Amino acid sequence: MSEDPFEAIKATFFQECEELLADLETNLLALESGDSDIETINACFRAVHSVKGGAGAFGLDDLVRFAHVFETLMDELRSGRKEVDDTVVRTLLRASDVLNDHVTAARGAGPAVDPVRSQGLIAELETLTHGAPVSGTADAASGDLDGDDFGFVPVSLSLDDFGAPGDLPSLDGGLPPLDLPPLDLPDLSAPSAAAQQTGWKIVFRPHPRLYTNANETGLLLRELARLGPTRVEMDDSGLPLLDALEPTESHLVWTIHLDVPAAEADVRDVFDFVETDCDLNIMPVMGEGAANDTLPELPSLDAGLPPLDVPSTDNLPAAEADVAALIALAQADTAARLGTPAPKAESPQPKAAPAPVPAAPPAAANAPSAPAAAAPVTIRVDLERVDRLINAVGELVIQQAMLAQRVHESGLARSSDISLGLEDLELLTREIQDSVMAIRAQPVKSVFQRMPRLVREVADMTGKRVKLVTAGEDTEVDKTVVERLAEPITHMLRNAIDHGLESPEEREAAGKPAEGTVKLAALHRSGRIVIEITDDGKGINRQRVRAIAEVRGLIMPDQILSDDEVDNLIFLPGFSTAKEITDVSGRGVGMDVVRRSIQSLGGRINITSTPGKGSTFTMSLPLTLAVLDGMVVGAAEQTLVAPLAAIVESLTPKVEDIHLVGGVDPVLMFRDEFVPLVDVGQSMGFRATPTELKGGVVMIVETEGGQRAGLLVDAIHGQRQVVIKSLETNYRHVEGVAAATILGDGRVALILDIDALVTSGRRRNTPRSELKMAS
């Protein structure tokens, strides 16, 4: 059974809603930061208007009703009738949250929105718009929402209590009523025929983005012609000279005379999808004498009414030809901008085109303007297809490595045709892999955009004032990593607000601003993505953390721990500093879940804290979970892979450059500084005794914190591009190992976790007092 096309369209609408709501959140946050540019306000209006329009097509009444009130306030702001202040922006942010909930509920991905909460926010929006909640909002919103009667409810008035016109009240002894002869006045109960509306005058100036969005002026003119007879005039006075002409700009103005009194809503419906991409002015055209319709002119008593001057209809075919010619001209103009063939004219050209009404040209009509940025062309592809492509590329990399291994074992010269062909294959494989990785890479913006709402909600629950600052939203990372970042970031933000930041009173007493700041940042470092969450709160109370860990049996009372080790106790399962269980924290789950989530992605997390100044959580994750460049090394007869991005240099150490600290920890003099040496074979548990330092190879690596160390291995076999296979998913977490891979000879090799290896290797070093270091 084929898929229901209506449901497919509906699913596409909800996907577009995600993008629209994300843009709405971004622009509202820009307003909150003081950016009151009119384009920012217009972007907010367009997002809400688009959500409302699509929801109306699918009969989502609750969503339409709320979006209508939201849109009304945005319309007041963009017209300048209302001012953008802190109260308005905070209300709009909360309204954005509720609008998101309405979309989620309509999609079936969440519970129904609390009607009390929704109606309460509707009342707040109406108060900001009209000065008070508008009665009958629900009825008005469920009716015609495209007109200008926002919140208008007709009221019937009765004039019966005023009596007849001649029943004047008594003045107790006043003058008697005058006895005047009757006048033959026209009937005022019906409007004068001369004062009736005869049509509409529409002045339409397209913006360049109207054509960028694949809209066409000719189609709009044709839709207006469906309402009745039209007369179209084109003003080309703003057209610059040929050398200053920009093909992406818009220079023409269209004036359309609609000669029927159609409903204004019908006229506006024609421009519904382009209203924000043009300058539009719709004016009613009244009959002669409409300007003096306060009191109709009395008929002359000595002369009859003048005869009606009915225009001849002989020229109607020519007028229709003129309109058709202008429509064809508009279509040709649009086709030239979009690079598409112009449609064939449906009617012959007129003998004489009507003279356009002269209009004042724009101030800088002849000045060259910067071309508008071309909109990127995108397509929607099912993620499963991309995953299959990723897997295929991974297998291609493995097969290419196997072929190279077989050719190397066969002893063929590097100058042979087969070897040269394999080198070309390797280059092509790398190019394919880079292209596929670029397809799958996504900015972390999609995750960061969810966090402002979380911060607002947690701040309200805890009674704190919090400002969220984000940076590096465009940092790209593998989509799998992006999808799994939301949960750990959510936990850490809640923890930073609940435990890190003080109350406004405590902050003011400590000389800090009442509003706390939490910063969420993303950046690339050493071939990995680093997410940092920083707060300017009170920092970690290490004495209290240690005391709680001892009470809960997590550490021994006499155990010696450094400050960093005490800070990292908060990641132990069951640890919590909350005094009582709340909706925010206190159940002893959260930070240990964060660490497990990060480790499952091949990453790590650590914390640095300064009492009284704040804390910083740092998450480090691989940019991709598919392929990486690595250095294949040997240690204790095992083949390992070290990430190439972490390697600074490789060398064969000299005996005089190696020293022992306390007879235990070896260090290497490297470029006028001492770096610790880590025996990879011993640290990984491949051998119990340390290897001789003579004859080994040292790789100088740099950790994400900027610390350098030397990894002592037996040999370096060469550089390879390897496919990452998760060891956490297929086996379990192993200290010092980030993942695994399959080599060209079919063997499985472990990919080293450089940071964990350096930390654990220094702890496992055994005394080397009897180690022979003689040359």
Side-chain angles (χ1 to χ4, degrees):
M1 185 175 180
S2 60
E3 182 182 359
D4 186 358
F6 182 80
E7 290 299 325
I9 297 174
K10 194 172 182 180
T12 302
F13 162 69
F14 284 122
Q15 291 176 354
E16 294 175 350
C17 279
E18 292 182 2
E19 301 172 359
L20 292 170
L21 292 174
D23 292 340
L24 174 63
E25 178 90 10
T26 300
N27 287 291
L28 288 178
L29 291 174
L31 290 178
E32 185 182 35
S33 63
D35 179 14
S36 57
D37 182 68
I38 186 61
E39 186 55 36
T40 304
I41 300 176
N42 284 334
C44 296
F45 174 84
R46 288 193 296 267
V48 180
H49 181 74
S50 300
V51 171
K52 186 191 83 170
F58 296 105
L60 305 175
D61 295 336
D62 291 340
L63 177 55
V64 172
R65 186 176 299 112
F66 187 87
H68 169 66
V69 182
F70 196 157
E71 177 193 43
T72 304
L73 177 56
M74 292 306 310
D75 187 60
E76 293 291 308
L77 296 176
R78 72 170 183 158
S79 65
R81 292 187 292 268
K82 295 291 181 183
E83 184 180 355
V84 181
D85 54 26
D86 292 341
T87 302
V88 170
V89 173
R90 285 196 297 268
T91 305
L92 291 176
L93 284 169
R94 290 190 289 114
S96 172
D97 297 340
V98 176
L99 183 65
N100 201 332
D101 291 343
H102 274 291
V103 172
T104 303
R107 193 174 191 172
V113 181
D114 182 6
V116 176
R117 179 188 179 205
S118 181
Q119 291 298 329
L121 201 48
I122 286 177
E124 290 187 47
L125 293 172
E126 289 179 336
T127 300
L128 292 174
T129 305
H130 307 289
V134 179
S135 60
T137 300
D139 296 334
S142 62
D144 182 11
L145 301 181
D146 291 326
D148 293 331
D149 52 341
F150 297 117
F152 173 76
V153 179
V155 179
S156 300
L157 298 177
S158 175
L159 303 178
D160 296 339
D161 295 338
F162 291 94
D167 295 340
L168 298 177
S170 174
L171 299 178
D172 293 336
L175 295 176
L178 295 177
D179 186 10
L180 297 176
L183 292 176
D184 187 11
L185 296 175
D187 184 9
L188 299 180
S189 62
S192 172
Q196 289 182 349
Q197 180 180 342
T198 60
W200 296 92
K201 178 181 178 181
I202 302 106
V203 180
F204 169 60
R205 182 190 181 98
H207 294 169
R209 61 176 176 269
L210 181 141
Y211 301 107
T212 303
N213 295 334
N215 292 305
E216 185 176 340
T217 305
L219 295 179
L220 299 174
L221 300 180
R222 191 180 300 277
E223 286 299 317
L224 278 175
R226 296 180 186 274
L227 300 178
T230 56
R231 292 176 289 115
V232 184
E233 300 169 355
M234 182 187 70
D235 179 11
D236 60 354
S237 59
L239 198 64
L241 298 177
L242 185 60
D243 57 350
L245 186 63
E246 291 289 344
T248 58
E249 291 297 315
S250 177
H251 306 286
L252 303 180
V253 181
W254 307 85
T255 302
I256 307 101
H257 300 273
L258 180 60
D259 294 334
V260 292
E264 182 178 359
D266 294 338
V267 178
R268 290 191 178 277
D269 281 346
V270 174
F271 300 92
D272 187 38
F273 290 100
V274 299
E275 188 174 359
T276 59
D277 296 335
C278 67
D279 295 329
L280 183 65
N281 190 7
I282 301 177
M283 300 167 288
V285 177
M286 310 301 292
E288 295 182 2
N292 301 321
D293 59 359
T294 56
L295 182 64
E297 183 181 356
L298 296 177
S300 174
L301 299 179
D302 57 355
L305 295 176
L308 295 176
D309 185 11
V310 180
S312 173
T313 59
D314 295 339
N315 295 328
L316 283 181
E320 292 176 357
D322 291 343
V323 172
L326 289 172
I327 290 176
L329 182 59
Q331 291 175 332
D333 179 65
T334 303
R337 297 174 185 277
L338 299 178
T340 58
K344 295 182 179 180
E346 298 182 1
S347 58
Q349 295 290 338
K351 296 181 180 179
V357 179
N366 295 328
S369 57
V377 180
T378 60
I379 59 173
R380 296 183 184 273
V381 180
D382 187 12
L383 182 60
E384 183 180 354
R385 297 184 179 183
V386 179
D387 288 339
R388 290 202 301 266
L389 183 59
I390 293 286
N391 294 333
V393 170
E395 295 301 322
L396 177 63
V397 171
I398 294 175
Q399 292 299 322
Q400 181 270 329
M402 287 184 174
L403 286 174
Q405 182 73 21
R406 297 294 184 269
V407 171
H408 176 72
E409 293 174 352
S410 65
L412 290 176
R414 293 182 60 86
S415 59
S416 64
D417 293 340
I418 295 180
S419 298
L420 295 176
L422 282 177
E423 290 181 359
D424 293 339
L425 176 62
E426 182 179 0
L427 294 176
L428 181 60
T429 302
R430 177 175 290 275
E431 183 178 353
I432 295 175
Q433 181 260 321
D434 291 341
S435 300
V436 174
M437 291 299 104
I439 292 175
R440 193 176 173 87
Q442 285 191 343
V444 296
K445 183 177 181 180
S446 60
V447 177
F448 280 23
Q449 284 178 331
R450 310 179 202 174
M451 300 305 143
R453 176 177 182 175
L454 170 73
V455 170
R456 290 194 297 271
E457 292 177 347
V458 177
D460 290 340
M461 295 169 63
T462 57
K464 298 178 181 179
R465 296 174 55 186
V466 185
K467 178 182 179 181
L468 177 65
V469 179
T470 58
E473 295 180 339
D474 295 329
T475 304
E476 290 189 342
V477 68
D478 189 273
K479 179 175 175 59
T480 303
V481 178
V482 171
E483 292 174 345
R484 297 169 65 176
L485 275 177
E487 182 179 357
I489 291 178
T490 297
H491 277 295
M492 287 191 291
L493 281 177
R494 292 167 68 95
N495 184 80
I497 297 173
D498 190 31
H499 298 291
L501 296 180
E502 310 95 330
S503 65
E505 296 78 14
E506 292 174 338
R507 292 182 63 85
E508 290 178 344
K512 298 181 179 180
E515 183 180 55
T517 300
V518 177
K519 183 177 181 181
L520 176 61
L523 64 152
H524 286 157
R525 184 187 296 163
S526 300
R528 296 170 72 87
I529 182 173
V530 177
I531 307 291
E532 292 183 346
I533 298 179
T534 305
D535 65 77
D536 63 347
K538 55 190 173 184
I540 293 180
N541 187 337
R542 296 190 174 98
Q543 294 180 350
R544 184 164 178 250
V545 168
R546 183 182 179 97
I548 293 175
E550 292 177 359
V551 171
R552 295 178 179 264
L554 301 177
I555 61 173
M556 300 299 295
D558 57 348
Q559 190 170 345
I560 299 176
L561 299 175
S562 65
D563 288 346
D564 289 342
E565 291 172 332
V566 173
D567 292 342
N568 283 274
L569 290 176
I570 66 174
F571 294 111
L572 296 178
F575 185 90
S576 176
T577 59
K579 297 180 180 179
E580 58 182 8
I581 296 177
T582 65
D583 293 336
V584 180
S585 61
R587 300 186 182 275
V589 295
M591 299 311 294
D592 62 314
V593 174
V594 170
R595 185 168 66 173
R596 288 199 301 270
S597 299
I598 299 301
Q599 288 176 347
S600 66
L601 291 172
R604 67 189 64 87
I605 182 172
N606 58 65
I607 178 175
T608 57
S609 180
T610 303
K613 294 185 178 180
S615 305
T616 299
F617 291 88
T618 303
M619 293 186 298
S620 172
L621 303 118
L623 287 177
T624 176
L625 302 181
V627 181
L628 66 76
D629 291 318
M631 187 71 73
V632 181
V633 299
E637 300 182 354
Q638 299 292 327
T639 304
L640 306 169
V641 178
L644 192 63
I647 300 176
V648 178
E649 189 175 339
S650 60
L651 53 91
T652 301
K654 298 179 180 179
V655 176
E656 58 269 21
D657 292 335
I658 300 177
H659 307 272
L660 297 178
V661 179
V664 177
D665 295 326
V667 294
L668 173 69
M669 174 63 74
F670 174 73
R671 301 192 186 282
D672 298 329
E673 64 176 348
F674 289 102
V675 296
L677 281 177
V678 177
D679 188 339
V680 175
Q682 183 188 11
S683 298
M684 295 295 296
F686 298 147
R687 56 174 170 244
T689 59
T691 184
E692 292 187 5
L693 300 178
K694 178 184 176 182
V697 179
V698 173
M699 294 187 302
I700 304 298
V701 297
E702 186 172 77
T703 64
E704 292 161 11
Q707 177 188 2
R708 289 189 174 185
L711 299 185
L712 182 62
V713 296
D714 297 341
I716 293 180
H717 300 310
Q719 180 181 337
R720 297 285 188 277
Q721 189 179 47
V722 297
V723 179
I724 300 173
K725 302 294 183 180
S726 174
L727 198 63
E728 181 93 10
T729 302
N730 298 290
Y731 178 54
R732 62 178 177 84
H733 175 71
V734 178
E735 186 72 20
V737 177
T741 188
I742 301 176
L743 299 177
D745 56 4
R747 292 182 299 165
V748 175
L750 300 178
I751 301 175
L752 299 175
D753 184 342
I754 300 298
D755 282 45
L757 186 63
V758 169
T759 303
S760 63
R762 294 177 63 185
R763 293 197 303 261
R764 294 178 184 176
N765 278 332
T766 56
R768 293 174 175 261
S769 57
E770 300 178 357
L771 189 63
K772 296 181 181 180
M773 299 175 56
S775 57

